Amino acid sequence: MTDLPLVPAPLSATTTGGPGYVLGPRTRVVAGALPDVASTVAHRLSRLAGFAVPVTANGADEPDTVVLRLVDDAAALGLPDAGLSPERAVGAYRVEVTERRVTLSALAVDGLLHAATVLEQLAAPGPDAGPGAVRLPAVVVVDAPRFGWRGLSVDVARHFFGPEVLRTVVDVMASLRLNVLHLHLTDDQGWRLDVPSRPQLVDVSSKTAVGDDPGGYYSVDDLAELTAYARARGITVVPEIDLPGHVNAALHALGELTPSGEPTDPYTGIEVGFSRLHADLPTTEPFLRDVLTDVAAMTPGPYVHVGGDEVHTMERAEYARLVETAARIVEGAGKTVVGWQEVAKATLTPGTVVQLWDERDGAELVRPAVEAGALLLLSPASKVYLDLKYDASTPIGLEWAGHVELRDSYDWDPLAVVPGVPESSVVGVEAAIWTETVRTPEDLFFLLLPRLAAVAEVAWTQGDRRSWEGFGVRVRHLARSWDRAGLRWYRSPQIPW
Ligand code: ACM
């Protein structure tokens, strides 16, 4: 539908003719009432142009301006109002480029931030081939996301990735107009977040990782800084403390959580499902309360993820009791609970977000919970588990749910995963990367790219606006930005790069 090199594809894009706008020494961003967004936009344009694009307080009517506008209703963006939920509306935007100026309009700051990333993708070489000559084509882009939650989950427990790597992940996510970074902070192999009420967790269990590779953890300040960095790019951080299984790192640090009172040995293998909390121990509820209360307090966003997956050594009643205890603590701290699909076995507060991942039994498991008011987040492994190998020759990655080539991540319909579930019960789509075999930033980006771009388009773009052929053309342009950023990516044979 569009020849413009935009990923994800927008709802509508019209080229209006004429030369477009050439960034030059007179170009400035008009801050108006939005100085923070203006400096973000100016920073992005400066990086594009190779010279500093300044911010000025006023002058929206003058030429050579980049103007930011918050508007009150979707009609002012050129969107039909009907059917635009508040979660989708925050991401909606309009970009208008003329020979005189660039206007970015949105209903919320997030939409303006997305609009700025559209300018980056539209930028083409300018008329004078010198450095910094950048031309934006004359266009009107009017756009709104299909889903409000467009995420990526990163496992920093099996292998640790420091704040700098996560900032690059955030940059890549922002460029794809993704808006949720879910951090899998704890697992059998390591505990990656300092929890002030329980300092032993990182003192003891941040040191380990799969294969005796180096560990690491985020301090309270690290998480605060990363969260602010992400928010300035339109991305909400969702921390996950995986309970009541995947807890060996906690049991190794805190012997009081085991029936014998003895800490477990550290674990650096890649088996799953063997570790567990015990509902009957008097130490368990205080542990949950301390950890989840601290994590909620460290989280400006509305969500805390309590895990809940793969507890293979526990009766259902005890599992439900532990999940419900954790959920009550998170809700008492004012946050909405997110959990992997297994939490559907517990009694959930309406509005809880249930994350489907294992297609073998996911649909049957989550359907009753969704009918009772839970919301569905879709992470079907065979489509969006980006740690699965591309094909049999991929040097790293797992294979338990098959191989996931680029087109597998692209060609699927979120509403077909749990047939019959209404679109209004689906909050969105989240890719995931588990790091059992992922040891370096190069490994990480090699598995993420280009598949994350495919998932971003599934999450953002209405199904009738998507086409594999069009994606193939557009993602080739995008790959140049990965090259410029020095990121390693996979040259899928499905695309003529
Ligand atoms: C999971 O992959 N165990 C959520």
Side-chain angles (χ1 to χ4, degrees):
M1 60 137 275
T2 171
D3 295 334
L4 295 168
L6 298 177
V7 180
L11 212 49
S12 103
T14 314
T15 42
T16 50
Y21 182 74
V22 179
L23 294 180
R26 289 169 48 82
T27 308
R28 63 244 187 248
V29 181
V30 180
L34 299 160
D36 291 346
V37 188
S39 66
T40 301
V41 172
H43 177 74
R44 287 190 180 278
L45 293 176
S46 302
R47 211 174 38 189
L48 266 184
F51 54 79
V53 175
V55 176
T56 60
N58 305 303
D61 296 332
E62 293 169 19
D64 284 309
T65 47
V66 179
V67 179
L68 313 175
R69 293 166 59 224
L70 283 181
V71 299
D72 290 334
D73 56 53
L77 301 179
L79 280 168
D81 239 327
L84 197 62
S85 65
E87 296 75 26
R88 295 179 57 214
V90 294
Y93 68 85
R94 177 186 179 94
V95 170
E96 202 162 347
V97 179
T98 69
E99 199 172 344
R100 263 169 78 81
R101 70 158 63 82
V102 176
T103 309
L104 310 183
S105 314
L107 295 157
V109 164
D110 286 16
L112 292 175
L113 295 169
H114 297 323
T117 66
V118 166
L119 296 183
E120 284 182 329
Q121 291 183 353
L122 287 175
D128 328 307
V134 173
R135 188 180 68 84
L136 299 168
V139 284
V140 177
V141 181
V142 177
D143 201 6
R146 179 174 186 189
F147 295 109
W149 184 312
R150 304 175 303 279
L152 170 65
S153 169
V154 182
D155 171 11
V156 291
R158 271 52 173 270
H159 280 100
F160 179 69
F161 293 90
E164 196 181 327
V165 178
L166 291 187
R167 285 197 295 274
T168 306
V169 170
V170 165
D171 291 343
V172 170
M173 289 177 67
S175 74
L176 295 167
R177 300 183 271 290
L178 295 168
N179 68 347
V180 177
L181 173 61
H182 163 180
L183 294 177
H184 181 76
L185 291 163
T186 69
D187 213 302
D188 293 316
Q189 298 87 346
W191 188 283
R192 306 297 179 208
L193 178 66
D194 185 18
V195 174
S197 61
R198 299 287 180 136
Q200 310 93 312
L201 288 165
V202 289
D203 284 352
V204 176
S205 280
S206 70
K207 299 187 175 73
T208 43
V210 164
D212 296 321
D213 280 330
Y217 70 94
Y218 310 109
S219 67
V220 173
D221 286 349
D222 288 337
L223 185 68
E225 285 164 16
L226 177 69
T227 302
Y229 184 90
R231 177 86 310 274
R233 287 152 185 80
I235 293 171
T236 297
V237 172
V238 176
E240 178 190 347
I241 304 297
D242 201 351
L243 307 158
H246 288 272
V247 288
N248 189 67
L251 307 186
H252 174 55
L254 299 169
E256 70 201 58
L257 298 176
T258 72
S260 69
E262 292 299 318
T264 57
D265 290 336
Y267 183 71
T268 58
I270 64 167
E271 297 300 316
V272 296
F274 58 88
S275 64
R276 55 166 295 181
L277 295 173
H278 292 266
D280 288 338
L281 286 180
T283 46
T284 297
E285 196 272 348
F287 165 75
L288 294 175
R289 183 164 299 283
D290 285 352
V291 168
L292 294 170
T293 303
D294 276 0
V295 170
M298 283 189 253
T299 303
Y303 302 101
V304 171
H305 200 304
V306 298
D309 57 320
E310 296 179 308
V311 192
H312 296 157
T313 58
M314 197 184 290
E315 294 298 319
R316 181 175 179 140
E318 185 179 3
Y319 173 84
R321 194 173 141 200
L322 286 164
V323 168
E324 287 158 22
T325 301
R328 225 165 295 130
I329 294 165
V330 168
E331 288 161 359
K335 303 296 178 186
T336 297
V337 173
V338 189
W340 297 109
Q341 66 188 30
E342 291 92 330
V343 300
K345 295 176 187 166
T347 302
L348 302 175
T349 303
T352 299
V353 177
V354 176
Q355 185 166 13
L356 181 144
W357 63 277
D358 186 345
E359 296 147 277
R360 290 170 294 198
D361 60 351
E364 301 88 276
L365 203 50
V366 303
R367 194 191 306 278
V370 171
E371 283 166 2
L375 298 171
L376 186 58
L377 177 59
L378 293 168
S379 300
S382 71
K383 315 291 186 220
V384 307
Y385 265 29
L386 305 187
D387 57 300
L388 294 174
K389 289 178 185 248
Y390 291 100
D391 63 24
S393 72
T394 310
I396 51 171
L398 301 182
E399 299 184 285
W400 69 269
H403 298 146
V404 181
E405 247 296 353
L406 179 58
R407 190 163 184 166
D408 298 311
S409 286
Y410 189 84
D411 261 346
W412 62 286
D413 174 10
L415 292 191
V417 178
V418 184
V421 161
E423 182 144 356
S424 58
S425 293
V426 177
V427 287
V429 172
E430 187 172 283
I433 183 152
W434 302 94
T435 58
E436 288 93 336
T437 67
V438 182
R439 304 177 65 206
T440 66
E442 290 72 28
D443 291 348
L444 189 72
F445 290 104
F446 175 75
L447 290 173
L448 288 177
L449 301 173
R451 289 183 292 195
L452 189 62
V455 182
E457 186 149 311
V458 173
W460 181 284
T461 307
Q462 296 291 336
D464 62 358
R465 297 285 199 281
R466 289 207 272 126
S467 93
W468 165 251
E469 287 70 28
F471 175 74
V473 174
R474 291 176 285 109
V475 78
R476 282 159 55 193
H477 286 267
L478 194 62
R480 300 202 189 121
S481 71
W482 305 331
D483 286 334
R484 283 195 298 275
L487 298 173
R488 185 164 168 234
W489 54 278
Y490 167 68
R491 295 178 77 86
S492 166
Q494 298 179 323
I495 299 279
W497 301 101

